[in-house]
Amino acid sequence: MIKDNTLIYGMRPVIEAISAGKEIDRLMLQHGLKGELLPELRKLINEFNIPYQYVPVEKLNRLVKGNHQGVICFISPIMFQPLENLLMSVYERGETPFFIILDRITDVRNLGAIARSAECAGAHGIVIPEKGSAPVNADAVKTSAGALANIPVHRSPNLKNTIDYLKSSGLSIVAASEKGTTPYYSASLNGPLAVIMGSEEDGVSPEYLKKCDQVVNIPMRGSTGSLNVSVAAGILLFEALRQQTTTG
C-alpha cells in the first residue's frame, strides 16, 4: 500500500517538489505525455539525474484517483549519499571500508531485510542501481526496522563504473553466487570490502562477476535450489564481521 505522503502527482506539483530539493525515488510518466510544462520537467529530470520510466495511463490511474496529468513521483524517505563522500569519511575515521552492492534486488522486503542485516553488521553503506531496484519507500524502511534511517544508501547511475571506482579505491569485490567455487567461510573478507548480492531470478550479472576478486558460494545440503537473497546476504555480512573481529 502506497502511503499518501510518499507520492506526488501533477505536472506543476512534481516540478515544484524536484525544484525544492525533495529526494525523488522514482518518476512515472505517461506514454505520449505532452504539455507546455514538459520541457521544464525534462530539464529537471536531467539536471537532478532522476530515474524515470514511461508507463501506460492505466497504471497511473490505479495509483492515483485524482488528476495526475500523466506524472507521478515517489518521494524517498531517506537522502541518497554520494559514494565518494562516504568512502572518504570511512578512510578519514581510520576504519576499514565495508559496503554491500545490490544488483537488481526488486522486492522491498528483501531490500529492507538486507539493510537491517548490513547496519547490524557494521557496513558503511549500501549501493543500489538507479534502475531495476526496489524503491526505497516507507515499506522498505519498516521492513528494515528503521535501519535504512541509520545506514547510508548510494544510488548508482552505473554499477559497472561504481565497482571500478571501489576497486581503484582499494576495496576487494566479492560476489555471492552459486557459480562460485570457494565456500564463503574460506574466502578472505577481512580487508576493505564490497559484497555483491544479485537478484534471486538470475543472481549477480555476469559482467559484474568478471570484475570480482572472489566469487563465493554458500554450501547447502537440502534440495531447495537457493536461499532467499536477504538470508544469503546476512550470512556473508556476518562472516565478514566475524573475520574482521577475529583479525582485529
Side-chain angles (χ1 to χ4, degrees), residues 229-247:
V229 66
S230 66
V231 174
I235 291 172
L236 267 291
L237 287 163
F238 280 91
E239 173 61 18
L241 175 60
R242 184 193 69 79
Q243 292 189 23
Q244 294 167 5
T245 303
T246 301
T247 57

Side-chain angles (χ1 to χ4, degrees), residues 122-135:
H124 293 107
I126 300 170
V127 177
I128 62 173
E130 277 188 356
K131 297 182 179 180
S133 176

Side-chain angles (χ1 to χ4, degrees), residues 124-182:
H124 293 107
I126 300 170
V127 177
I128 62 173
E130 277 188 356
K131 297 182 179 180
S133 176
V136 184
N137 58 20
D139 289 334
V141 173
K142 181 179 179 180
T143 306
S144 77
L148 277 168
N150 297 316
I151 185 170
V153 179
H154 169 69
R155 187 167 60 185
S156 169
N158 187 309
L159 277 186
K160 177 177 174 291
N161 291 343
T162 297
I163 292 170
D164 287 339
Y165 171 74
L166 291 173
K167 284 174 69 77
S168 68
S169 299
L171 277 71
S172 175
I173 311 298
V174 178
S177 170
E178 59 185 18
K179 298 181 178 67
T181 56
T182 303

Side-chain angles (χ1 to χ4, degrees), residues 23-217:
E23 194 74 23
I24 309 299
D25 183 66
R26 58 197 170 111
L27 184 64
M28 289 185 178
L29 305 176
Q30 179 181 324
H31 284 305
L33 182 64
K34 298 179 181 179
E36 61 180 20
L37 292 176
L38 186 57
E40 183 179 354
L41 177 60
R42 288 187 183 279
K43 180 181 177 181
L44 289 171
I45 290 172
N46 293 329
E47 180 180 348
F48 290 92
N49 202 25
I50 295 171
Y52 69 94
Q53 63 181 134
Y54 284 98
V55 299
V57 65
E58 292 79 10
K59 184 166 186 176
L60 301 181
N61 291 340
R62 287 195 298 270
L63 294 171
V64 171
K65 300 303 181 184
N67 182 16
H68 52 67
Q69 299 176 320
V71 182
I72 293 176
C73 79
F74 299 86
I75 305 298
S76 173
I78 68 167
M79 293 290 290
F80 296 108
Q81 304 294 322
L83 186 59
E84 295 83 356
N85 294 356
L86 293 178
L87 196 57
M88 185 182 302
S89 66
V90 173
Y91 278 124
E92 286 177 348
R93 294 195 302 269
E95 298 176 359
T96 302
F98 182 18
F99 290 85
I100 183 165
I101 301 170
L102 305 185
D103 174 23
R104 296 166 298 127
I105 304 298
T106 57
D107 190 307
V108 293
R109 293 165 297 182
N110 282 333
L111 173 60
I114 291 171
R116 184 175 185 175
S117 294
E119 201 280 331
C120 289
H124 293 107
I126 300 170
V127 177
I128 62 173
E130 277 188 356
K131 297 182 179 180
S133 176
V136 184
N137 58 20
D139 289 334
V141 173
K142 181 179 179 180
T143 306
S144 77
L148 277 168
N150 297 316
I151 185 170
V153 179
H154 169 69
R155 187 167 60 185
S156 169
N158 187 309
L159 277 186
K160 177 177 174 291
N161 291 343
T162 297
I163 292 170
D164 287 339
Y165 171 74
L166 291 173
K167 284 174 69 77
S168 68
S169 299
L171 277 71
S172 175
I173 311 298
V174 178
S177 170
E178 59 185 18
K179 298 181 178 67
T181 56
T182 303
Y184 73 94
Y185 46 76
S186 298
S188 175
L189 305 175
N190 58 6
L193 177 69
V195 173
I196 306 179
M197 303 301 301
S199 70
E200 284 192 311
E201 287 73 21
D202 52 13
V204 178
S205 301
E207 64 175 323
Y208 304 149
L209 286 176
K210 293 177 183 178
K211 291 183 170 293
C212 290
D213 298 292
Q214 300 178 85
V215 179
V216 303
N217 65 49

